[in-house]
Amino acid sequence: MNFFGAMYDKTMEWSKHRLAAYWLAFVSFIEAIFFPIPPDVMLIPMAMTKPQSAVKFALICTAASVVGGMVGYSIGYYAFDLVQQYIVKWGYQTQWDKAISWFKEWGVLVVFVAGFSPIPYKVFTIAAGVMQMAFIPFVLTAAVSRAARFVLIAKLAAWGGTKFADKLRRSIEVIGWSVVALAVIAYLVLK
């Protein structure tokens, strides 16, 4: 079954499209608000296939993510009552509670950690608004955090380049199905 290989091929095809940078910006923007797929899915193949533009792609990701984070912050600040039900419905309640407790304990530093945390970034942007964190420190910390993450990822992907992309393609089915198996095992163990 060539399930993951087909997805990989399609993603690599999208990464070479003439509008790929716009799609990358769009995904980065909406991921900071509600979208479940991180922009890394576009950033990595784009940086691998065009290593000379890796930092540019990382900065596009950063700018769009920070603007999306400002929207997420505004939602948390002004309209949390409207979105609270979706936090529960989409299964983010545990992550939400953890983010709120981190905000109470560490304040603005949590936004920096959010760039590298397994908790989705959108949880932090909305939580920052709910906690009424100072807006300018939120934006500055988000910019530094997101830039650090995206530049690191883009540089690593560019370093691997097309040779790594080819090697990854040959192993993608094994990697993909191994991750699925680990997820099922983790679910059964934790259940």
Side-chain angles (χ1 to χ4, degrees):
M1 179 181 255
N2 193 24
F3 179 74
F4 292 101
M7 286 192 321
Y8 181 85
D9 293 340
K10 195 61 156 168
T11 304
M12 291 304 280
E13 183 182 317
W14 290 339
S15 75
K16 297 173 189 170
H17 193 278
R18 64 183 177 82
L19 298 176
Y22 295 103
W23 293 345
L24 178 63
F26 180 68
V27 170
S28 297
F29 174 78
I30 62 173
E31 184 267 342
I33 305 165
F34 69 90
F35 197 59
I37 300 171
D40 311 57
V41 171
M42 284 287 296
L43 177 61
I44 292 169
M46 289 174 71
M48 283 193 300
T49 57
K50 295 181 183 173
Q52 69 281 5
S53 298
V55 173
K56 178 181 111 176
F57 295 144
L59 295 177
I60 289 169
C61 255
T62 300
S65 184
V66 170
V67 173
M70 292 169 105
V71 172
Y73 178 99
S74 298
I75 290 169
Y77 194 90
Y78 297 108
F80 182 66
D81 294 339
L82 299 174
V83 298
Q84 186 175 16
Q85 64 183 329
Y86 294 105
I87 290 171
V88 175
K89 184 177 180 179
W90 293 340
Y92 290 122
Q93 187 64 52
T94 302
Q95 295 164 329
W96 175 261
D97 294 339
K98 184 172 290 261
I100 292 294
S101 71
W102 287 359
F103 270 115
K104 288 178 181 174
E105 189 170 341
W106 293 310
V108 74
L109 293 176
V110 169
V111 178
F112 185 78
V113 173
F116 300 93
S117 168
I119 296 174
Y121 185 60
K122 67 195 114 309
V123 171
F124 288 99
T125 64
I126 295 171
V130 168
M131 298 298 292
Q132 299 181 357
M133 174 181 279
F135 186 71
I136 299 300
F138 164 77
V139 171
L140 293 174
T141 307
V144 170
S145 169
R146 298 308 268 180
R149 172 195 168 131
F150 293 138
V151 168
L152 176 66
I153 288 169
K155 285 285 206 175
L156 287 172
W159 175 71
T162 54
K163 289 180 183 178
F164 180 72
D166 294 339
K167 288 178 183 177
L168 183 60
R169 174 60 179 99
R170 287 192 294 271
S171 305
I172 198 68
E173 289 300 324
V174 172
I175 294 168
W177 289 113
S178 297
V179 169
V180 169
L182 287 172
V184 169
I185 291 168
Y187 173 76
L188 294 172
V189 168
L190 294 174
K191 187 180 174 189

